[in-house]
Amino acid sequence: MSKNFDVIVIGAGPGGYIAAIRAAQLGFQVACIDEWQTAAGGPAPGGTCTNVGCIPSKALLQSSEYFDQAGHHFAEHGIQLQGLGVDVAQMLARKDQVVKQNNDGILYLFKKNKVSFLHGRGRFAAKADGGYEIKFTGKTEESITGKQIVIATGSSARALPGVPFDEVHVLSNDGALRIGAVPKKLALIGSGVIGLEMGSVWRRLGAEVTILEGLPTFLGAVDEQIAKEAKKAFDKQGLKIELGVQVGEIKSSQKGVSVAYRNAKGEALTLDADKLIVSIGRVPNTTGLNAQVVGLQLDERGAIVVDADCKTNLPGVWAVGDVVRGPMLAHKAEEEGVAVAERIAGQHGHVNFNTIPWVIYTSPEIAWVGRTEQQLKADGVAYKAGTFPFLANGRARALGDTTGMVKMLADAVTDEVLGVHIVGPLASELIAEAVMAMEFKASSEDIARICHAHPSLSEATKEAALAVDKRALNF
Ligand SMILES: Cc1cc2nc3c(=O)[nH]c(=O)nc-3n(C[C@H](O)[C@H](O)[C@H](O)COP(=O)(O)OP(=O)(O)OC[C@H]3O[C@@H](n4cnc5c(N)ncnc54)[C@H](O)[C@@H]3O)c2cc1C
């Protein structure tokens, strides 16, 4: 193996592995270093996303959704079931298999694109002639040099002060995806994306789930109307969400966990549970990088400081994904990875932060792109709004899933689409049309004039566009 590379990528999560592949496509000699390992000690590229994030959570969401459907909705379709049960071990084994397929897929892609993959930890050793020396510690320890370095070391779960994750009673996202039996009572702290998704999995499987949230409003970043609709659905499902709480002492014992807290009214209460999942945000992974040896600038959170192009304060050193500012989303990391590789090649890589979609894979799903109604009001933008409920959509009725709506916001003068907000079935897929429309600066009339297949959920997007002009046809 060569010891001198054009590009060295540290981290093989969605930001890093995609940057490495794109750089290799552009003709560079690339090495990608990643330390994640399987239980057996083998390489497991894909980062948080593949190993303990996007992929395993969606695998468990799917399995638990099937169980929920079988238990509560199959009868409506005339399907009778007896002896329905959950084999958690099999569910987790399937999830692990899905993860492994993704790990193996990335190893294959590295081979196909001639990216040298190094399994172990990478850290800065020194500035070198025309680049940087990176120390790699895996089964062996060696030094390699790179003219350009891309840091994509991601993030880790934030623990509550004084309450470390033991992954037995107090769980991070990692432990939350490995609970071996359905807990009777599950407590969560944090009702963000991860909290809601993890809470949904275990609620569907039969746990009594309570989520404690410090903020007074539910899903504050989401359009209020959409958040309200989602909350109504979660309440109906029995997902208990307490807002405006102040968490106090947390005690673990053989029996489980007890969380002392004050509710929004100021009453002192205790929540006893078998397990506690803490999902209160994530911290950038920069501690092991030896950043100080080369003078790499970090901010007060430990994130790498970058400009709009993902350039750090050091020439030839870039950083992408969760380890830098911006939303902690896999597709944002990927877009930055591609853009950086292209900038290294002298091209004009580009990431449009205004059209990054957000998705929460609960049931109903929540997805949005662009500005919310509250943001438009705060920005003083005159807008028109159109909504269309899935209740009036033929495909949603046939699916038996009519919760929610599509909401479209367009500029009152130009009609340009400024935001699309969806709560309902397959919102994660429907949002792609809205992202595309906004990328092409479409007007709501453009979407209203496009032929959408019938019957399809996407007709709700067209109808919401028609509703902007107060001429929905089916509602
Ligand atoms: C439960 C959960 C569900 C999620 N679901 C979604 C979702 O549905 N959609 C979505 O868009 N996002 C989701 N996310 C967020 C998403 O996982 C992250 O935004 C994404 O993984 C960030 O990618 P990254 O490449 O920046 O970092 P990471 O994926 O964190 O990868 C960083 C990699 O770098 C490695 N590394 C760190 N330091 C070193 C070092 N010094 N040497 C070598 N290797 C190192 C790490 O081991 C890791 O493999 C979810 C996150 C969680 C926790």
Side-chain angles (χ1 to χ4, degrees), residues 10-16 33-36 46-49 52-54 57-58 120-123 152-155 173 177 194 197-198 282 285 288-289 320-323 328-331 333 359 361:
I10 307 179
I33 306 173
D34 191 278
E35 65 182 349
W36 207 295
T48 300
C49 168
V52 291
C54 321
S57 61
K58 268 78 247 175
R121 169 162 282 247
R123 63 186 192 281
T153 46
S155 65
N173 55 296
L177 292 159
I194 295 170
E197 290 186 0
M198 291 297 94
R282 300 184 58 82
N285 290 331
L289 269 176
V320 301
D322 279 12
V323 79
M328 288 187 169
L329 293 170
H331 42 282
V359 180
Y361 293 81

Side-chain angles (χ1 to χ4, degrees), residues 300-356:
E300 61 294 343
R301 294 180 312 127
I304 297 173
V305 176
V306 288
D307 67 8
D309 288 344
C310 293
K311 276 188 187 144
T312 70
N313 64 315
L314 301 174
V317 180
W318 312 73
V320 301
D322 279 12
V323 79
V324 304
R325 79 301 174 249
M328 288 187 169
L329 293 170
H331 42 282
K332 175 263 194 184
E334 288 182 27
E335 292 299 312
E336 286 183 334
V338 168
V340 160
E342 292 178 351
R343 285 173 195 137
I344 289 172
Q347 299 181 0
H348 301 280
H350 177 67
V351 182
N352 184 357
F353 272 70
N354 297 323
T355 53
I356 292 177

Side-chain angles (χ1 to χ4, degrees), residues 51-52 109 120 316 319:
N51 293 294
V52 291
L109 290 170

